Amino acid sequence: MATVTYDKATRIYPGADKPAVDQLDIAIEDGEFLVLVGPSGCGKSTSLRMLAGLEDVDGGAIRIGDRDVTHLPPKDRDIAMVFQNYALYPHMTVAENMGFALKIAGVPKSEIRQKVEDAARILDLTEYLGRKPKALSGGQRQRVAMGRAIVREPQVFLMDEPLSNLDAKLRVQTRTQIAGLQRRLGITTVYVTHDQVEAMTMGDRVAVLKDGLLQQIDSPRNMYDRPANLFVAGFIGSPAMNLIEVPITDGGVKFGNSVVPVAREALTAAADKGDRTVTVGVRPEHFDVVERGGDALRKDSGDGAAPAGLAVTVNVVEELGADGYVYGTVEVGGEQRDLVVRVPGRQVPDKGSVLRVVPRAGELHVFSTSSGERIGD
Ligand SMILES: Nc1ncnc2c1ncn2[C@@H]1O[C@H](COP(=O)(O)OP(=O)(O)O)[C@@H](O)[C@H]1O
Ligand SMILES: [Mg+2]
């Protein structure tokens, strides 16, 4: 077991004008399950392959435990990698596939058999040890690929989108199995995925990458509760956080007809940058519905007081049983904007109706409109 350290690790592909991975700094703890997540092309696989020794490191260093492995060949790094396509040998049985690396390393036959049988038991593969990969389901092949990594008892597991060839249901099952297995074995793991749900459910910590740059590294909880910038705010969470540019007013921000209080530091920070707006983030579950069935065009109520909140015209309602998601439009600063609001599953509004919603105070995220960075708290 070991820690893994990316120390300003950089990869610039020959002929590229900017790094695919730019001064990556991550300190992974012994036994930790770290997930690298981000959109396609952000540098996840490159980061993993740099750790595996399959890609040159052009700047900085990579360490496994106290060993500087930056320029070591893959075979000397004591890692095992699981690839997206599993890379099983078609002419070998499951047992031969799982034991192959040990055979190459000259491990005695009886020891190989023992390790393969142990891993097969953990992975529920015992009855398939004599089969060839083509006679297995996708999920079983995936487990063979895992088994091949496990028998090597490496210091670090590296996994590059190992679930992306499985159907949705199997993916959910397998992600729980992999996370559980990793916790039992306690082997430091770096896991790559583009799927933020996978990242959030599996990782002890999650590192979000964009354009080769680390955006934030945090526990799933903190990542969700305190995204560091607009990119992370929009990337983590499904449906995504609503992000709306709103004018700053005295003591808060103007949300339709309501002034929602915002931490003074956030407003000061925005003003210091010369911004007259901030971008406010509200998760779909953090709106209070203050009125149903109103009229979107109504500017004030009968007694002359302006109606509270934002008028949301309901376009689509997604009913998920426990919850419903309302996909609607609002008018902010003269523009039509999309808004998603979570409502209780048994209180979903009709399509075409109007809700008035107010973001819950204390659940507001505030970002600088000019820099995109979180401000205030
Ligand atoms: N072998 C390569 N040669 C040149 N550019 C590459 C190579 N592999 C990846 N890239 C580029 O580096 C960037 C990061 O790629 P990659 O690490 O594969 O992203 P991800 O795994 O996050 O989808 C992309 O812009 C990609 O086009
Ligand atoms: Mg990739």
Side-chain angles (χ1 to χ4, degrees), residues 287-307:
F287 283 106
D288 284 322
V289 177
V290 292
E291 192 184 314
R292 287 166 182 277
D295 175 350
L297 301 175
R298 184 172 52 117
K299 289 287 185 247
D300 49 47
S301 58
D303 57 12

Side-chain angles (χ1 to χ4, degrees), residues 56-215:
D56 287 342
V57 177
D58 300 302
I62 296 180
R63 289 187 291 278
I64 297 178
D66 297 331
R67 290 185 302 145
D68 185 334
V69 301
T70 315
H71 302 293
L72 280 188
K75 66 173 176 47
D76 297 335
R77 297 195 180 200
D78 204 359
I79 49 125
M81 188 147 168
V82 178
F83 296 91
Q84 175 176 346
N85 60 8
Y86 316 141
L88 301 178
Y89 299 109
H91 59 285
M92 290 185 196
T93 63
V94 168
E96 286 163 349
N97 264 289
M98 282 169 64
F100 187 64
L102 301 180
K103 187 174 164 191
I104 295 295
V107 176
K109 263 195 181 135
S110 59
E111 197 178 319
I112 296 179
R113 185 174 333 126
Q114 190 60 51
K115 289 191 165 155
V116 168
E117 281 173 7
D118 288 348
R121 206 167 316 117
I122 294 174
L123 293 163
D124 235 349
L125 285 171
T126 306
E127 58 186 299
Y128 308 106
L129 281 173
R131 288 204 196 169
K132 298 275 174 64
K134 67 171 187 301
L136 299 177
S137 70
Q140 291 161 345
R141 281 180 213 171
Q142 202 283 334
R143 299 212 297 279
V144 176
M146 287 292 297
R148 200 170 43 176
I150 291 173
V151 297
R152 297 175 54 192
E153 299 170 12
Q155 286 200 309
V156 188
F157 281 139
L158 309 185
M159 304 187 195
D160 195 348
E161 313 231 8
L163 305 184
S164 45
N165 287 340
L166 305 180
D167 66 48
K169 190 171 172 204
L170 198 54
R171 211 155 50 217
V172 172
Q173 276 174 14
T174 312
R175 90 181 174 217
T176 332
Q177 284 167 0
I178 292 182
L181 185 64
Q182 190 275 341
R183 248 130 244 174
R184 242 186 312 148
L185 298 173
I187 295 180
T188 312
T189 299
V190 186
Y191 184 103
V192 162
T193 178
H194 65 273
D195 179 345
Q196 60 91 20
V197 176
E198 224 170 276
M200 295 291 277
T201 52
M202 296 179 82
D204 291 320
R205 281 189 304 160
V206 175
V208 178
L209 284 180
K210 176 183 176 253
D211 298 335
L213 290 165
L214 181 63
Q215 304 291 302

Side-chain angles (χ1 to χ4, degrees), residues 13-14 16 20-21 38-47 55 160-161 192 209:
Y13 285 108
V21 174
S40 176
C42 71
K44 302 179 297 293
S45 294
T46 304
S47 304
E55 208 63 75
D160 195 348
E161 313 231 8
V192 162
L209 284 180

